[in-house]
Amino acid sequence: MTLKESISQLAIFGGPRLSSTPLHVGRPNIGRKEQFMRRVEDMLDRRWLTNAGPFVQEFEKKVAELLGVKHCIAMCNATVGLEIAIRALGMKGEVIIPSFTFVATAHALQWQEIMPVFCDIDPKTHNLDPAQVEKLITPRTSGIIGVHVWGRPCAVDPLIDIAKRHNLKLMFDAAHAFACSHKGAMVGNFGHAEVLSFHATKFLNTFEGGAVVTNDDDLNKKIRLMKNFGFAGYDNVVYLGVNGKMSEVSAAMGLTGLESLNDFVAVNQRNYGHYRDELKSVPGVQLISYDPNEKNNFQYVVAEVDGQKSGLTRDRLIQTLHAENVLARKYFFPGCHRMEPYRSHFPHASQLLQNTEKIASQVLVLPTGTAVSVEEITAICRIIRLAVANAPKVNEHFDKLDREKPPTH
Ligand SMILES: *Cc1c(COP(=O)(O)O)cnc(C)c1O
């Protein structure tokens, strides 16, 4: 990997791309292949492919143990996990969620005709601002779903307090937060239930997959029925249900990943530290921090780009990186409230979501994970540093492109 020394070497100015293969955010973390293959052989020999097979049972047990939570119900994905948990908790009417989240949090409500009410975030944490949550409660409100964005836990205690005082159900979308802790307790133990994602891009993956975790025995029973068509035994359906089951091959992947979990964290933490060192002196490009007293999976290397200080907007920095085949990403942009059907439901939502809009315009997520090397990170940071140090020239380039664009009307 060659380090770029001068601005003329940037791909936007005709230099060679940094990488011939794209460097992605969220390339899957894969554990020991031979372990996975051995499990697949076992599974095929057993001819038990799904329906609470031995791998799913073992995976549920291991996840519950790791999180110190009573029940783990494995699911086909987190979106269905959210939908089922929402229904099992009896949420209805309106539910307060952040707009700064993956759209599935909102869709899981809207899909069952519950209205997501978008609440602004605290710009310091990127998570729900409890003071704003309280202002949005109406007689129709039945619950709150917090999201632990980047694996940094929400303001859990204030949200528990608000939910208690207003008699609301409280859930967390913990899709980012597997193996993260809050005040020494693992995420998974808060609210009535928390929902994990094991999608291929997440810290731990089962190809597609998710889980609902809870310490509530009754809720556990209900969710187990709901995720299996409501079957309580042969020929006996006691509930309205759906198919939310995790398959054996997914659980085999999950068990294999669990064996390498510490390696995944170590690589992610090393990458994060390297980005932090390399970007320390770049004005206006600030990595978000993780509480050193808590566990985190370091799956997300997230910078806030302050265009005033860097001289370069987040979007132009992304364009500069994409030209190099470095596929840095905006996240949760432009916010759920600017996506359909919510944009049409709430055309004026942005006025109440000013921190969301600001953060969604500044966040830059950088390639990391076990597929990215320290040398690649050095080279990526060099490009960011060159672009910011020469912001006027970079802006000139993009201004010219904008002028040459044919008018859109
Ligand atoms: C990934 C993600 C989901 C959806 O997870 P799936 O397993 O893909 O359904 C939901 N919420 C958040 C915050 C996510 O990041």
Side-chain angles (χ1 to χ4, degrees), residues 77-79 101-102 104-105 147 173 175-176 197 199 202 209:
N77 60 57
T79 305
T101 180
F102 183 60
T105 322
V147 182
D173 176 339
H176 284 193
S197 173
H199 181 254
K202 300 301 203 285

Side-chain angles (χ1 to χ4, degrees), residues 104-241:
T105 322
H107 280 355
L109 292 162
Q110 189 66 48
W111 192 252
Q112 27 202 353
E113 296 182 14
I114 300 166
M115 186 189 283
V117 173
F118 295 119
C119 180
D120 209 2
I121 52 172
D122 178 340
K124 290 194 291 296
T125 65
H126 299 185
N127 285 328
L128 273 183
D129 178 351
Q132 299 302 319
V133 169
E134 191 129 31
K135 289 185 192 159
L136 294 173
I137 295 172
T138 74
R140 286 172 50 77
T141 308
S142 65
I144 303 167
I145 304 178
V147 182
H148 307 301
V149 173
W150 322 128
R152 298 194 299 183
C154 288
V156 167
D157 298 329
L159 290 174
I160 290 174
D161 174 59
I162 292 170
K164 277 216 181 96
R165 280 191 285 109
H166 296 270
N167 196 22
L168 302 174
K169 302 293 185 191
L170 176 63
M171 245 175 75
F172 293 98
D173 176 339
H176 284 193
F178 182 61
C180 300
S181 72
H182 172 69
K183 294 191 177 168
M186 299 305 281
V187 166
N189 287 283
F190 305 113
H192 292 97
E194 303 208 50
V195 180
L196 304 164
S197 173
F198 304 122
H199 181 254
T201 56
K202 300 301 203 285
F203 172 59
L204 177 77
N205 88 82
T206 61
F207 305 114
E208 291 270 1
V212 181
V213 286
T214 180
N215 287 311
D216 181 328
D217 297 341
D218 292 337
L219 192 63
N220 168 54
K221 277 195 205 112
K222 205 163 167 181
I223 290 174
R224 281 191 189 281
L225 287 169
M226 282 183 163
K227 70 120 205 273
N228 189 29
F229 311 100
F231 274 109
Y234 283 123
D235 311 323
N236 183 25
V237 172
V238 298
Y239 242 88
L240 172 62

Side-chain angles (χ1 to χ4, degrees), residues 61-115:
K61 189 161 168 279
K62 293 226 160 106
V63 169
E65 272 169 16
L66 186 83
L67 304 186
V69 66
K70 259 174 115 174
H71 307 287
C72 167
I73 308 128
M75 295 273 177
C76 56
N77 60 57
T79 305
V80 168
L82 282 165
E83 287 170 4
I84 293 177
I86 286 163
R87 188 180 280 264
L89 280 170
M91 287 186 178
K92 55 188 183 358
E94 299 173 4
V95 171
I96 297 168
I97 66 169
S99 175
F100 193 67
T101 180
F102 183 60
V103 72
T105 322
H107 280 355
L109 292 162
Q110 189 66 48
W111 192 252
Q112 27 202 353
E113 296 182 14
I114 300 166
M115 186 189 283

